[in-house]
Amino acid sequence: MAAGARPAHRDVNVLRWLSAYTASVTGDVVYFLALSWAATRSGGPSQAGMVVAAGALPRAVLMLGGGVVADRFGPRRVAVVSDAVRCAVILAVAVAVMSTSPGVWLLVAVALVFGVVDAVFMPAVGALPPRITSSEQLARVQGMRGLSIRLSNAVGPLLAGSVLAIGGAAGAFTAAGVLFAVSLVVLLSVRIATPSEVPRRTSARRELGDGLRYVRRHRMLAPLVMVIGLSEMCFSGPVATGLVLLADERGWGASGMGWVASAFSVGGAAAGLLLVSPRIPRAGLMMSAALLVTSVGAVALGRAPSLPVAVMFGALIGLTSGVTTVVTGALLQTETDPRYLGRVTSVTTLCTLGLAPALFPAVGVTVSLWGAGAFFAGCGAICLLAAALGLAVPALRRAELQPPGPAARAGQ
């Protein structure tokens, strides 16, 4: 654990990590849009779906293994190597696209490789904060990270659209590769604390089992992972599809969908700014309260009678879901033994991002059968279940974001 009480937003080392993380997330956005664009041009919308699914499958399947790799070899080393591989692969694709028209199978191969590497990179980079700052600063770092994600999701599509218009898919892949290169260079400058205890090496399968048992037996992590999975189930991707279908159903058009999505992002960014604080009082209760408000807001969004009302509720659930993300992320990293942080991060990342593609078909089926309002009502019910779990488990209800002591580290 990094020593020192310097505020995270003034810590150059933390800012380096945040800059690398921001460049990487922005590169991800540009890459996925470039991949979808190239696949659509090569084989049409159905082929584009196959290409995107080809990348999502290995990421979901290998995510837990990526956590084992991060814990075994160190998260910084793994993040650097995987970032370098992503950079090299995407720049090579850019050269290939410049030279010839890419076939669908080339794009499938690229998506598969990127998905495998991403399954290693994401747990590694997510496990770094406790090694670059002190425990009491983790809430602040999570707030900054949430703000970074919202900024990347806002800037990424604009950048991708610009380079696609100017240089086509080759230009967009080049831009993504440059962003990964920037992330790699900055990441190399990040200093991390050396673990006080070197983990004993066993087989990868046994290490994965140890990590899963550690989560299952921990008095706070087990229910916290469940809360994170439930709270992010709808908001890690499916809600974007739901917004598209809601706007289409109500006749708001693409611009209306854009307004609601932008309001959601602005609300999430506001949560990041509000929670750039060294300590969040009554963190467990704040988490559950935010989930309750998100539940009500999601139901109201699905029943919004007009676009301005939908924009208002979009901003509300962006704010409250952002609060939940920051608080749960800080609690997770405060409570987890650093030796298991990569594996624990991989579990939560799998819950929030890796399994999202499996939910996309359910969105379309729900909306086609019962309407967009039913989908958002379902999102509200899931958030309500997460809030109830947070309130029902004493360890979560009483959770505070403070530097953990030996008892907390034991977690048994």
Side-chain angles (χ1 to χ4, degrees):
M1 190 71 65
R6 179 183 300 177
H9 65 285
R10 296 179 184 175
D11 189 329
V12 174
N13 199 43
V14 172
L15 293 177
R16 288 183 186 132
W17 170 82
L18 186 68
S19 299
Y21 185 79
T22 303
S24 176
V25 174
T26 307
D28 278 339
V29 174
V30 175
Y31 156 74
F32 281 113
L33 289 174
L35 185 71
S36 299
W37 176 273
T40 301
R41 287 300 180 91
S42 297
S46 61
Q47 301 295 330
M50 180 183 71
V51 171
V52 174
L57 181 61
R59 187 174 69 169
V61 172
L62 301 175
M63 189 70 70
L64 295 178
V68 173
V69 173
D71 285 335
R72 172 174 284 202
F73 298 103
R76 180 180 179 274
R77 180 184 302 172
V78 172
V80 165
V81 172
S82 54
D83 220 5
V85 173
R86 296 197 307 170
C87 178
V89 169
I90 300 308
L91 288 178
V93 174
V95 173
V97 173
M98 289 178 190
S99 305
T100 182
S101 177
V104 170
W105 291 111
L106 171 63
L107 298 176
V108 167
V110 171
L112 283 169
V113 172
F114 194 90
V116 171
V117 179
D118 224 24
V120 177
F121 176 79
M122 293 173 70
V125 76
L128 281 175
R131 295 175 182 261
I132 61 175
T133 190
S134 54
S135 300
E136 62 268 21
Q137 294 296 318
L138 287 175
R140 178 173 272 159
V141 170
Q142 290 302 315
M144 295 163 64
R145 181 184 183 184
L147 187 60
S148 164
I149 292 173
R150 302 299 181 185
L151 176 64
S152 299
N153 287 335
V155 172
L158 297 176
L159 177 60
S162 300
V163 292
L164 281 169
I166 297 171
F173 280 124
T174 301
V178 169
L179 285 166
F180 292 141
V182 171
S183 171
L184 173 62
V185 171
V186 179
L187 200 57
L188 285 169
S189 68
V190 175
R191 302 183 310 275
I192 67 169
T194 304
S196 57
E197 183 179 346
V198 178
R200 186 178 59 183
R201 295 284 180 89
T202 59
S203 69
R205 181 177 180 180
R206 184 169 182 177
E207 288 183 16
L208 176 58
D210 288 343
L212 294 176
R213 281 190 294 273
Y214 172 76
V215 172
R216 188 177 69 248
R217 295 171 180 174
H218 198 289
R219 64 185 180 85
M220 181 181 291
L221 288 181
L224 181 61
V225 167
M226 294 177 64
V227 168
I228 292 174
L230 290 170
S231 64
E232 291 290 332
M233 184 178 293
C234 295
F235 297 102
S236 60
V239 74
T241 303
L243 288 177
V244 172
L245 297 175
L246 176 66
D248 181 67
E249 181 180 278
R250 303 296 169 82
W252 296 335
S255 61
M257 181 274 297
W259 276 105
V260 180
S262 297
F264 183 86
S265 295
V266 169
L273 287 173
L274 289 174
L275 296 178
V276 176
S277 167
R279 182 176 180 273
I280 299 175
R282 299 184 180 276
L285 287 177
M286 178 181 287
M287 173 193 72
S288 296
L291 283 167
L292 287 171
V293 177
T294 303
S295 174
V296 174
V299 175
L301 174 61
R303 302 176 67 86
S306 64
L307 179 58
V309 174
V311 169
M312 179 185 70
F313 282 115
L316 175 65
I317 64 176
L319 174 65
T320 54
S321 64
V323 169
T324 301
T325 299
V326 170
V327 173
T328 54
L331 285 173
L332 183 89
Q333 296 194 335
T334 300
E335 290 292 325
T336 303
D337 187 317
R339 295 173 299 171
Y340 293 93
L341 195 51
R343 281 163 285 182
V344 174
T345 303
S346 71
V347 172
T348 58
T349 305
L350 177 63
C351 292
T352 57
L353 294 177
L355 297 180
L359 300 175
F360 288 133
V363 180
V365 171
T366 301
V367 174
S368 64
L369 291 177
W370 300 293
F375 166 72
F376 284 99
C379 291
I382 293 170
C383 287
L384 182 62
L385 180 60
L389 179 61
L391 291 172
V393 177
L396 284 182
R397 187 174 64 248
R398 300 167 186 164
E400 295 283 357
L401 279 171
Q402 297 173 338
R409 284 294 186 209
Q412 303 298 328

